[in-house]
Amino acid sequence: MQSFDFYNPTRIVFGPEKISKLATLVPAEARVLILYGGASAQKNGTLDEVRAALGGRVVQEFGGIEPNPTYETLMQAVEQIRREKLDFLLAVGGGSVIDGTKFVAAAVNFPGEPWDILETHGRSVRSALPFASVLTLPATGSEMNSGAVITKKATHAKLAFMSPMVFPKFSILDPTKTYSLPPQQIANGVVDAFVHIVEQYLTYPVQGMAQDRFAEGLLQTLIEIGPKALATPEDYDVRANLMWVATLALNGLIGAGVPQDWATHMIGHEITALHGVDHARTLAIVLPSLLNIQRQDKHAKLLQYAERVWQIRDGSEEQRIDAAIEQTRQFFEGLGIKTRLSGYGIGPEAIEPIVAQLVAHGMSALGERQNITPEVSRRILAAAA
Ligand code: NZQ
Ligand code: ZN
């Protein structure tokens, strides 16, 4: 196992009717800004529960944070906070609202142009306003991590930042709030969490025995509950497990002390920025093709994945690897998520601009061995056509 420094200060409050706990979790004297997305949190009653729990505190609201939250929209929230002297942020929504809130928290007192937070991938963040979240969509893990992904509309740049300053103080996870999610968003959530686990697991062996077994258990749980989450939307146990697995998939625990490969995400972000494809769907396009092209580097772990996650034991090593990659693709397709660029109306002429954006954003040495050069990314995309 490699050396590591694991830190995660986010408190998780999990279960039905836990939104009422905001009454004691948010400081009594706080001047609160509730941030949310479109209409979903109002429609399913989450916002009303949040407002009721905050009681007599000073509370303002900022709605309209879009999926793949934009710098342009978020800067309006920053202005409102500065103008109204608000001091505690509460994100109510999915990954986009929570990520957007992280950026806003870091931007309010940022000296200089806040886009610099993204350009420095968070290294320039020295402080942030305290914030918390009420999660309504299990997928990103943003509710218990210190990362965020923000898009600048003007330049089609979708960049990530991380900072220990932007861990949520606490996050409330009420699985019943996910019942109103449309099937596409549930499928997205299953795939996003699955790929987060794979990117911390499917690299090369370093004898991280607990991390490996933990990752394999999370993957197997997703394989078991993913289809059920679509078939029986109001099955509490299924939704509760999905919510907790998605959080555990990206809260730092399984990635501590093991190599990581975020190439699928980095290539996927460029596809979203240029073509507006949902985040998880870009991952479903890139991952099977990346595993195939990187199969030599990932050989030992691909065999372990085949055996322990998919119970594939017959055939030559290469046949077992082929079967594991095919099972992965079929799992995504079975959830209704297409795994080829052509499935989204994106033709081969789109590949070069995606590679050019990777280069422009410094993504020229991706993967656990930094050997996914622009040329390799081009091959991965061509194989995903
Ligand atoms: O805007 P509203 O009306 O709220 O509707 C949203 C949105 O349209 C809807 N929704 C959310 N909860 C709902 C609901 N609809 C009905 N009932 C509910 N309970 O779902 C739609 C998608 O929401 P969004 O927040 O965009 O989805 P997700 O949670 O998948 O977040 C995606 C964003 O997170 C980033 C992605 O890049 C993308 O920008 N990521 C963040 C990560 C992190 N912070 O660690 C890691 C991830 O890899 C990812 O990159
Ligand atoms: Zn993701």
Side-chain angles (χ1 to χ4, degrees):
M1 200 190 311
Q2 300 169 343
S3 21
F4 64 85
D5 179 346
F6 179 68
Y7 170 70
N8 191 319
T10 301
R11 174 174 177 182
I12 297 293
V13 180
F14 192 100
E17 285 156 38
K18 291 296 182 206
I19 291 175
S20 60
K21 296 279 176 205
L22 286 170
T24 49
L25 288 166
V26 175
E29 68 290 354
R31 294 173 60 81
V32 182
L33 183 68
I34 300 173
L35 300 99
Y36 61 95
S40 77
Q42 183 63 53
K43 262 202 234 157
N44 71 7
T46 308
L47 268 180
D48 286 338
E49 282 181 46
V50 166
R51 291 182 189 117
L54 290 173
R57 292 174 179 82
V58 174
V59 177
Q60 294 197 7
E61 299 187 3
F62 182 88
I65 298 178
E66 55 280 81
N68 308 306
T70 67
Y71 167 79
E72 286 85 351
T73 299
L74 298 167
M75 285 308 292
Q76 296 172 30
V78 170
E79 281 164 28
Q80 183 176 345
I81 293 160
R82 288 176 179 159
R83 190 176 61 237
E84 305 290 334
K85 305 201 177 348
L86 305 171
D87 58 17
F88 192 96
L89 312 185
L90 186 59
V92 180
S96 293
V97 174
I98 303 175
D99 281 12
T101 301
K102 289 175 179 176
F103 172 75
V104 169
V108 168
N109 293 320
F110 189 76
E113 165 53 56
W115 184 249
D116 190 54
I117 295 170
L118 279 307
E119 302 243 312
T120 61
H121 300 292
R123 283 187 302 277
S124 54
V125 176
R126 296 281 171 273
S127 70
L129 285 187
F131 72 96
S133 84
V134 175
L135 181 67
T136 63
L137 196 175
T140 63
S142 189
E143 64 277 7
M144 199 181 177
N145 70 35
S146 61
V149 193
I150 307 298
T151 298
K152 197 175 200 178
K153 251 194 295 195
T155 54
H156 290 282
K158 184 174 186 189
L159 301 183
F161 83 95
M162 289 183 83
S163 165
M165 297 295 152
V166 296
F167 278 103
K169 296 288 172 214
F170 62 85
S171 287
I172 298 184
L173 278 56
D174 174 351
T176 68
K177 294 296 174 238
T178 73
Y179 292 171
S180 58
L181 278 161
Q184 319 84 272
Q185 293 300 342
I186 285 291
N188 282 352
V190 172
V191 170
D192 195 19
F194 193 94
V195 178
H196 292 159
I197 301 161
V198 166
E199 290 192 284
Q200 298 163 88
Y201 164 74
L202 242 170
T203 56
Y204 53 85
V206 292
Q207 299 310 314
M209 294 169 71
Q211 292 93 324
D212 278 6
R213 297 274 188 199
F214 198 178
E216 288 153 0
L218 294 174
L219 290 171
Q220 286 175 302
T221 308
L222 285 174
I223 291 164
E224 182 178 335
I225 65 176
K228 292 183 187 164
L230 290 174
T232 51
E234 303 209 357
D235 181 326
Y236 179 80
D237 290 331
V238 168
R239 289 298 169 98
N241 278 287
L242 176 56
M243 212 167 202
W244 189 221
V245 167
T247 301
L248 292 168
L250 197 50
N251 71 350
L253 195 56
I254 63 169
V258 299
Q260 305 187 10
D261 169 13
W262 291 98
T264 298
H265 266 71
M266 295 308 125
I267 300 171
H269 287 166
E270 303 299 353
I271 299 175
T272 298
L274 290 175
H275 299 281
V277 177
D278 287 357
H279 170 64
R281 286 162 202 256
T282 68
L283 309 177
I285 295 167
V286 176
L287 183 76
S289 163
L290 180 143
L291 293 179
N292 198 26
I293 294 213
Q294 295 297 96
R295 63 194 289 150
Q296 249 79 53
D297 280 355
K298 295 181 185 292
H299 188 83
K301 272 312 208 27
L302 275 166
L303 287 171
Q304 182 177 326
Y305 172 67
E307 179 174 350
R308 293 200 197 164
V309 177
W310 293 107
Q311 287 79 48
I312 297 166
R313 298 192 180 85
D314 297 333
S316 68
E317 291 191 347
E318 295 312 316
Q319 283 169 336
R320 279 179 269 151
I321 289 173
D322 282 339
I325 295 172
E326 186 54 25
Q327 293 269 23
T328 307
R329 187 185 291 283
Q330 290 311 322
F331 177 60
F332 298 161
E333 294 274 352
L335 297 167
I337 303 241
K338 297 196 167 67
T339 57
R340 301 241 170 235
L341 284 166
S342 58
Y344 301 87
I346 301 172
E349 72 287 351
I351 292 176
E352 223 32 63
I354 297 170
V355 175
Q357 286 292 77
L358 283 168
V359 174
H361 298 143
M363 303 294 167
S364 297
L366 300 171
E368 67 272 23
R369 300 180 204 265
Q370 290 83 49
N371 62 1
I372 301 185
T373 59
E375 173 50 30
V376 179
S377 292
R378 186 178 291 117
R379 280 172 42 218
I380 291 168
L381 288 162

